Amino acid sequence: MKKIVKKTFCVVLFAMVVAVQAKEHVNNKNKKPKSSLQTLAYNCASGTSTTLLEINNVRTSIMNGGDMWWDLQGAARYEIPIGSGKHSLFAGALWIGGKDDNNQLKVAAQTYRSNGDDFWPGPLDNVRLTSDGLPNSNYGKTDASICAKYDQHYVLLRSDVVEFVAWWNSDNKTIDYPDYNIPLSILNYPGNRSTDDFSNAFSGKDTLVTSAPYYNLETLAPFRDVDGDGKYNPLAGDYPEYNLDGSLNCKEDDMLFGDQTLWWVYNDAGNTHTASGSNTAIGLEIQAQAFAFSTNDEINNMTFYNYRIINRSHSALNDAWFGQFVDADLGNYKDDYVGCDVSRGLGYCYNGDEDDEGAKGYGSNPPAIGVDFFRGPLADEGDGVDNNRNGIIDEPGEQIIMSKFVYYNNNRDVTNGEPDIASDFYNYLRGVWKDGSLMTYGGDGTNTSNLACDFMFPGDTDAKFTGQTWTEQSAGNVPDDRRFVQSAGPFTLEPGAVNNITSGIVWARANQGGAWASVELMRLADDKAQKLFDVCFEVLDGPDAPDLTLQELDQELVM
């Protein structure tokens, strides 16, 4: 009897601990049986790699399964200031959705691993045609062995690459660099796709392509091809492609950024979509990097993210939307507000009262944190829309900035709560509630008698409602656990199309004036982040220290 009581007590205690730690599991029902979803033959396992980005005043965990900023056990891992034990974000991921030519909905959207996976490590087959000019039926496929091989992050320091280039260009290597060894980060960098990956995985599986190469030497991670042979080889002087000589344009060229850079690659085709419940994969390969700079100004409190998204399928994705999902737990997660700045393309979280209480809270004058959508997908030519809101319609190469801002609550059973099925995710990307009703201006955005809107809680920044202000304070909302989605669309993602998405996290804390004063300070930090993006993240170095010489005179030294 004592053993039974003891076991029962342990089970109850364990359940209580899980409930306290894993707050994201509230109302997390078993969403969908796997038997109702398409089974994929590739059988890739979920990504396991977790790596720290920690070169400045932020220490955060980056995973390679489409998510970031937490530890997979239910704890926040976006610590700022570093060493404080205080965290400002809990989780984030890309959401992508659209329809194929048969009007079938396809979604890839990660939230928390407890809800399932939509993304897996590794690239996809990139050969679209056989040697006979026929469609390669292996295009866009992967294999469990390939996913496992790329279940990692490639971590680089710009300073290591600068030193490598100086060493390579030295005419007296043994004298100038007597103890130099090429860092493993440079030697193991995945500049090219492996020619063996897909030829081994698909050999004999497709009679269409028996005479064609299964995988070409297309660049995977960007590198400077010093000897011009198309193959990444550091022993021939090749190196990871930072813009060291200023010859690259970040709007056109694939390149690395930051003082510390985490590079990884993942896809949505490796297995069944159990997070969104989408029955069919889109066929996306996403080459990602997280990066940060070590500075002595506001940039020291920022992290940045770049996604090179490639449609590795033979079909277009129509009415497509890209979105950034954010669960912004600012210290104590139960007293938060969210909002957006339309003109800046900025979504943000701030404290709903003047004291962020509790052991995890920031205390008085709590900070604010924002996510800026610097660069969105390419707009369709001739769509007749001013997608970047600069007053010019249908400009060449126009990119879509933040088109919608949606918030939702940690409650699965309401129309503005947790998404459950693929259409829920897609509706949020389109700025529509789960039941298909439009967002409306004012209150909590669900009053159907109000005017439709695109942006929740924009303050006074929504030009459609000039002279009006709408915030969570003005709506009289009770502070709570919030999530939000910033999205850009609609557009058409053609087969083989490449889109670059860039976002940044900005953070600020005012010394006085309360929670809203931190929001205003955070906006100023975001302006600096925008300027940094506009110059391709080229952080200017300060002046060099002066050369110092000493002249010894009678009873004095002249410097």
Side-chain angles (χ1 to χ4, degrees):
M1 181 67 180
K2 289 183 179 180
K3 290 183 179 179
I4 294 175
V5 172
K6 185 176 181 180
K7 288 181 180 179
T8 302
F9 174 77
C10 291
V11 170
V12 172
L13 180 61
F14 175 77
M16 291 173 63
V17 170
V18 170
V20 170
Q21 290 182 341
K23 62 96 186 176
E24 303 309 327
H25 300 176
V26 175
N27 292 320
N28 179 26
K29 300 174 182 177
N30 187 10
K31 299 195 303 178
K32 54 191 81 69
K34 289 188 177 182
S35 60
S36 67
L37 302 176
Q38 180 189 36
T39 300
L40 300 180
Y42 318 135
N43 199 32
C44 288
S46 299
T48 62
S49 180
T50 299
T51 306
L52 292 176
L53 183 66
E54 54 176 350
I55 200 169
N56 57 16
N57 200 31
V58 181
R59 179 188 290 122
T60 186
S61 295
I62 307 296
M63 277 79 82
N64 67 340
D67 50 355
M68 61 185 72
W69 307 331
W70 67 310
D71 68 353
L72 300 182
Q73 281 77 51
R77 287 292 179 265
Y78 196 93
E79 184 186 30
I80 179 170
I82 195 168
S84 68
K86 309 296 183 184
H87 300 265
S88 291
L89 292 172
F90 180 84
L94 278 184
W95 288 7
I96 306 168
K99 298 179 180 180
D100 65 16
D101 291 335
N102 295 319
N103 208 37
Q104 180 180 15
L105 179 62
K106 296 183 177 182
V107 174
Q110 196 76 21
T111 53
Y112 318 105
R113 301 290 183 93
S114 59
N115 292 351
D117 293 297
D118 274 14
F119 294 109
W120 295 269
L124 300 176
D125 188 303
N126 69 319
V127 179
R128 295 182 62 188
L129 300 175
T130 70
S131 58
D132 300 323
L134 298 173
N136 175 12
S137 62
N138 286 330
Y139 180 63
K141 292 183 180 180
T142 186
D143 182 83
S145 61
I146 301 168
C147 292
K149 176 178 178 179
Y150 287 92
D151 186 6
Q152 60 179 305
H153 292 90
Y154 301 87
V155 184
L156 296 155
L157 295 176
R158 181 186 174 108
S159 58
D160 285 345
V161 178
V162 169
E163 184 180 28
F164 169 82
V165 173
W167 167 79
W168 178 261
N169 290 329
S170 172
D171 294 328
N172 299 293
K173 290 182 175 60
T174 56
I175 297 175
D176 295 338
Y177 299 89
D179 301 316
Y180 184 77
N181 292 301
I182 302 175
L184 288 177
S185 60
I186 295 177
L187 291 172
N188 296 332
Y189 182 71
N192 287 123
R193 300 166 183 269
S194 170
T195 55
D196 297 327
D197 285 347
F198 287 87
S199 58
N200 291 336
F202 297 146
S203 179
K205 291 184 180 181
D206 192 340
T207 56
L208 266 179
V209 293
T210 52
S211 62
Y214 288 90
Y215 213 38
N216 66 25
L217 279 175
E218 179 187 88
T219 298
L220 187 56
F223 70 93
R224 179 63 62 95
D225 189 9
V226 173
D227 61 353
D229 67 350
K231 301 177 182 180
Y232 178 72
N233 182 8
L235 300 182
D238 299 341
Y239 57 88
E241 184 72 287
Y242 290 96
N243 192 18
L244 300 184
D245 59 6
S247 64
L248 302 177
N249 182 342
C250 69
K251 308 297 192 300
E252 301 174 358
D253 301 310
D254 190 18
M255 55 188 285
L256 300 174
F257 306 100
D259 292 331
Q260 182 190 16
T261 313
L262 278 56
W263 191 97
W264 71 105
V265 58
Y266 60 105
N267 69 82
D268 86 309
N271 213 318
T272 306
H273 283 210
T274 53
S276 68
S278 181
N279 283 316
T280 308
I282 299 172
L284 298 175
E285 177 181 311
I286 303 174
Q287 301 167 8
Q289 55 179 303
F291 56 99
F293 301 90
S294 179
T295 68
N296 60 1
D297 60 4
E298 300 94 330
I299 298 171
N300 205 51
N301 292 325
M302 302 177 186
T303 60
F304 301 92
Y305 307 87
N306 176 261
Y307 305 94
R308 191 167 183 261
I309 302 171
I310 309 169
N311 183 4
R312 300 277 191 213
S313 76
H314 292 295
S315 302
L317 190 68
N318 306 304
D319 296 319
W321 290 79
F322 284 164
Q324 172 72 59
F325 155 74
V326 179
D327 182 354
D329 292 354
L330 195 68
N332 174 16
Y333 70 90
K334 292 294 290 183
D335 63 351
D336 290 345
Y337 277 157
V338 297
C340 71
D341 188 310
V342 177
S343 59
R344 288 180 169 88
L346 176 70
Y348 54 81
C349 177
Y350 59 106
N351 219 59
D353 54 39
E354 301 307 327
D355 181 22
D356 189 32
E357 62 278 354
K360 297 182 178 180
Y362 282 95
S364 60
N365 294 308
I369 193 162
V371 182
D372 194 319
F373 211 140
F374 295 120
R375 176 167 56 177
L378 290 170
D380 291 351
E381 293 185 10
D383 64 2
V385 179
D386 180 13
N387 290 284
N388 55 11
R389 293 193 290 277
N390 67 349
I392 305 173
I393 295 176
D394 293 338
E395 28 182 350
E398 184 179 38
Q399 290 184 295
I400 308 173
I401 61 175
M402 186 177 75
S403 308
K404 306 283 183 178
F405 178 85
V406 183
Y407 95 108
Y408 64 89
N409 293 306
N410 187 8
N411 184 340
R412 194 174 301 283
D413 299 322
V414 295
T415 189
N416 60 346
E418 291 276 356
D420 188 53
I421 57 178
S423 60
D424 294 344
F425 291 90
Y426 187 58
N427 279 347
Y428 279 154
L429 286 169
R430 299 188 300 127
V432 176
W433 296 123
K434 292 199 301 180
D435 64 0
S437 60
L438 299 178
M439 293 191 308
T440 56
Y441 191 87
D444 67 354
T446 63
N447 188 341
T448 56
S449 63
N450 292 345
L451 293 175
C453 68
D454 295 322
F455 307 100
M456 295 287 294
F457 311 126
D460 60 359
T461 67
D462 191 342
K464 183 178 177 180
F465 299 93
T466 302
Q468 301 184 55
T469 299
W470 178 31
T471 66
E472 291 225 56
Q473 293 102 314
S474 67
N477 289 350
V478 176
D480 205 343
D481 183 13
R482 300 281 195 260
R483 297 98 160 87
F484 64 80
V485 179
Q486 300 161 269
S487 60
F491 64 99
T492 305
L493 187 63
E494 298 288 353
V498 180
N499 271 273
N500 263 293
I501 308 297
T502 306
S503 63
I505 310 298
V506 295
W507 184 94
R509 185 176 190 177
N511 294 323
Q512 58 184 1
W516 191 254
S518 293
V519 174
E520 298 291 13
L521 193 61
M522 182 267 299
R523 293 183 207 260
L524 297 179
D526 182 60
D527 291 340
K528 190 158 192 173
Q530 181 65 55
K531 291 178 181 178
L532 185 62
F533 168 77
D534 292 340
V535 296
C536 290
F537 295 106
E538 291 299 317
V539 177
L540 299 178
D541 296 327
D544 294 333
D547 294 328
L548 183 66
T549 58
L550 296 177
Q551 182 179 7
E552 185 175 356
L553 301 177
D554 183 28
Q555 298 184 9
E556 66 176 329
L557 293 174
V558 176
M559 291 185 292

